[in-house]
Amino acid sequence: MLYAGVEVTWAAAGVTVPWKEHASYAPAVQFLLAALSLLVGCACLAGTRTLAKPGRVVVATALVTALPVFVVGTNGLPIYFVTLVTLSGIESATGLAQVLLNTVGAALLLLVGLSYRRRLRGDCPRCGRPHAGASDGPLAHPAPSRAPRRTRISVYLLMCGLLPWAAAKCIWTLGGNALGVAGDDWQRTTSASASGPSKAAASVGIDVTVLAAMVGIFLLLGLLYVWGQVFPRWTLFLSGRRVPRLLPLIPAWLTGIPLAMYGAVLIIMSPLIAVGVLPEIEPSPPFTTSSGITWMVAFGGLAFAGLGIGLIVAARSYAARTRPVCAGVTATQRPE
């Protein structure tokens, strides 16, 4: 209801809500999103009741249809994260609010859909395991453990996709030339809108977007190792306490999915541009050649897709390893 109210208010008042650079949501789209949010809200309420088969199909269809819409609406989340962390300023407050609304909606729908699927399978909607007894008691958490070796190797290989993109950014930041871009031109172009922290990072040869990627790598490592489940010593008063399970999972899912989608688009675009299927991108400062932009599109695709898929893979492993069960209940065998 909150989402629908905001969308209708913005559409009726003619408020500009950007969804990508130089493009905004049309009022008709906002009204459609409002209607979809009300429809899926009713489906969520209906999903808590015992329904006949037609009702179950309607609820499942509504959830499956609405979730991708909200997930696509979160595609600006990584960019806003970088601008907030680096204190670079927010281009559009309504754009940020729209992304946050879609992010919250996607997270809640994901949890509701998971609970509903468990209920249909005859499992506990809370812990996902088949058992007799109530599902509102205390939870028993498994012992901390690191991800399997195969998962760790897969994530490390995906992280390697960041190297070409990060290397080019750091070369430019240090004043070097690469891909037809001169370091002086890069610094001149980026420093015009850079904040104090961005300039401080650049002074030691670290591009601010590379710094943001390092935050993603930190999250990745936490999902793979024990210190992501139990606060380590350097967290001071939190040391030894269990990390809330959703604390790393929610940002991993909500950042990993849009990053993977965005990176996949860039990976597909770059070879199509190179062979002439898609038109070349006109160079704009600091780029001087279309080929340089094409290479940077490819490097960006490898970086974003690698980091995004790595977050998804690591989050899936973390979710399985940290999955709690309802304590004090008797497990039952699911009928075949």
Side-chain angles (χ1 to χ4, degrees):
M1 291 177 64
L2 174 63
Y3 186 95
V6 172
E7 296 298 327
V8 170
T9 300
W10 280 344
V15 176
T16 300
V17 183
W19 70 277
K20 69 175 185 178
E21 190 176 7
H22 308 306
S24 302
Y25 285 89
V29 174
Q30 292 176 289
F31 283 121
L32 183 62
L33 289 174
L36 180 62
S37 65
L38 291 178
L39 174 65
V40 76
C42 294
C44 290
L45 291 175
T48 62
R49 302 184 178 185
T50 302
L51 302 173
K53 185 175 181 179
R56 296 197 299 269
V57 171
V58 170
V59 170
T61 302
L63 293 175
V64 171
T65 302
L67 182 57
V69 175
F70 285 96
V71 170
V72 170
T74 68
N75 61 3
L77 186 62
I79 297 175
Y80 281 111
F81 173 76
V82 172
T83 58
L84 290 173
V85 169
T86 60
L87 304 178
S88 300
I90 300 173
E91 293 185 2
S92 171
T94 55
L96 174 59
Q98 178 77 348
V99 169
L100 292 178
L101 283 171
N102 282 311
T103 300
V104 173
L108 293 177
L109 279 181
L110 183 63
L111 295 175
V112 170
L114 181 62
S115 176
Y116 185 66
R117 179 175 178 271
R118 290 171 175 175
R119 190 178 294 109
L120 291 181
R121 287 166 53 91
D123 297 336
C124 172
R126 189 183 185 198
C127 72
R129 305 291 176 87
H131 63 71
S135 59
D136 56 355
L139 290 172
H141 295 269
S145 62
R146 66 179 182 177
R149 184 171 181 269
R150 180 179 300 180
T151 299
R152 299 198 307 271
I153 292 175
S154 300
V155 172
Y156 292 152
L157 291 175
L158 289 166
M159 287 168 57
C160 290
L162 287 163
L163 295 178
W165 171 81
K169 287 292 191 78
C170 290
I171 289 172
W172 294 333
T173 306
L174 289 169
N177 302 334
L179 303 179
V181 177
D184 293 341
D185 293 338
W186 172 264
Q187 293 174 1
R188 190 179 305 110
T189 303
T190 56
S191 63
S193 59
S195 62
S198 301
K199 294 179 180 178
S203 65
V204 294
I206 301 177
D207 183 83
V208 67
T209 55
V210 176
L211 193 62
M214 293 172 64
V215 176
I217 293 174
F218 176 81
L219 176 59
L220 263 176
L221 296 177
L223 293 168
L224 294 177
Y225 292 98
V226 172
W227 59 267
Q229 300 170 47
V230 178
F231 285 107
R233 294 179 181 179
W234 49 264
T235 55
L236 302 179
F237 62 90
L238 292 175
S239 177
R241 296 176 181 268
R242 183 179 58 82
V243 176
R245 187 167 180 258
L246 294 181
L247 181 62
L249 279 179
I250 288 180
W253 287 119
L254 296 181
T255 305
I257 292 174
L259 274 178
M261 293 167 49
Y262 183 52
V265 171
L266 296 183
I267 290 175
I268 295 171
M269 281 179 55
S270 54
L272 294 179
I273 294 173
V275 299
V277 175
L278 293 178
E280 291 185 342
I281 302 174
E282 291 296 327
S284 59
F287 288 92
T288 57
T289 64
S290 296
S291 61
I293 296 181
T294 302
W295 276 108
M296 201 56 192
V297 169
F299 290 167
L302 290 173
F304 301 143
L307 183 57
I309 297 173
L311 283 169
I312 294 171
V313 172
R316 184 175 181 274
S317 173
Y318 184 93
R321 298 186 340 263
T322 59
R323 185 175 175 181
V325 296
C326 292
V329 298
T330 302
T332 59
Q333 183 69 33
R334 183 187 293 112
E336 297 296 336

